[in-house]
Amino acid sequence: MLGVIDLPTYLAGLVLIVLLPGPNSLYVLSVAARKGIRTGYTAAAGVWCGDTVLMTLSAAGVASLLQANAVLFGIVKYAGAGYLTWLAIGMLRAAWGMWRTRHERVAENEAAAGLAAEERPFRRALVISLFNPKAILFFVAFFVQFVDPGYAYPALSFVVLGAFAQLASFLYLTALIFSGTKLAAAFRRRKRLSAGATTAAGALFLGFAVKLTLASA
């Protein structure tokens, strides 16, 4: 099928991979929980655009270049880890503010308004996606197994595989977005729950940053 080998196996592996938690899905969930469905989809669009860029780079052989060049890989790796750390610090600062002001509704509303004004979900999700060298290496390592090397139009094979990947991502992030809006109602009723969830998200992003710094090409 258009140069794609063993499509059922690819789809089965894709489902398992998409379901693995990562900074992209966690960010979309947190945005949807804080700001609703429309903003959640704005963040998801950033993820999809970032994934499209990574797939294109992988098909063009950039992933192989990163894998072969330790210095270039290190630059991208530490830049990504630094960005994830910056996001984590922002989340932890917001959580600390929630803990301090959880009995002061006006202060919480002002803080939320300020956060909404400063945050750009699409751009932030896009950067999270792009600064992920392990994702680039994964795309080429996974995709290449299902592309027929003898097929005359390998780019078309990558397009087919990428389309399935984006469809799976769309369905998964949509589920997270609608789950996030349900969580939002609970967060509004229980300020401690909201502060605790934000703290947990910040800690997870720090964990993602540490994991990325330990990654190897």
Side-chain angles (χ1 to χ4, degrees), residues 32-93:
R34 289 185 284 112
K35 300 181 181 180
I37 293 176
R38 177 175 295 184
T39 310
Y41 272 112
T42 299
V47 172
W48 297 324
C49 287
D51 286 347
T52 299
V53 172
L54 293 182
M55 292 175 194
T56 303
L57 293 175
S58 296
V62 175
S64 298
L65 176 62
L66 273 180
Q67 194 168 20
N69 191 320
V71 174
L72 182 59
F73 180 84
I75 291 173
V76 177
K77 177 176 72 172
Y78 288 113
Y83 188 73
L84 291 177
T85 301
W86 179 73
L87 290 180
I89 292 173
M91 290 181 178
L92 292 174
R93 288 179 61 188

Side-chain angles (χ1 to χ4, degrees), residues 38-172:
R38 177 175 295 184
T39 310
Y41 272 112
T42 299
V47 172
W48 297 324
C49 287
D51 286 347
T52 299
V53 172
L54 293 182
M55 292 175 194
T56 303
L57 293 175
S58 296
V62 175
S64 298
L65 176 62
L66 273 180
Q67 194 168 20
N69 191 320
V71 174
L72 182 59
F73 180 84
I75 291 173
V76 177
K77 177 176 72 172
Y78 288 113
Y83 188 73
L84 291 177
T85 301
W86 179 73
L87 290 180
I89 292 173
M91 290 181 178
L92 292 174
R93 288 179 61 188
W96 175 245
M98 292 177 188
W99 286 114
R100 292 183 60 186
T101 62
R102 62 182 183 273
H103 298 304
E104 302 173 14
R105 185 175 299 274
V106 174
E108 287 177 348
N109 290 339
E110 289 177 352
L115 182 61
E118 295 174 2
E119 188 171 12
R120 295 177 175 83
F122 177 87
R123 187 177 70 179
R124 184 164 290 186
L126 177 64
V127 174
I128 291 174
S129 296
L130 293 178
F131 279 94
N132 192 346
K134 293 301 290 185
I136 299 175
L137 299 178
F138 164 78
F139 275 126
V140 74
F142 188 64
F143 281 16
V144 74
Q145 299 178 45
F146 301 94
V147 176
D148 184 357
Y151 187 64
Y153 307 101
L156 183 58
S157 304
F158 277 98
V159 169
V160 173
L161 295 174
F164 279 115
Q166 292 289 48
L167 176 60
S169 177
F170 173 81
L171 295 175
Y172 179 55

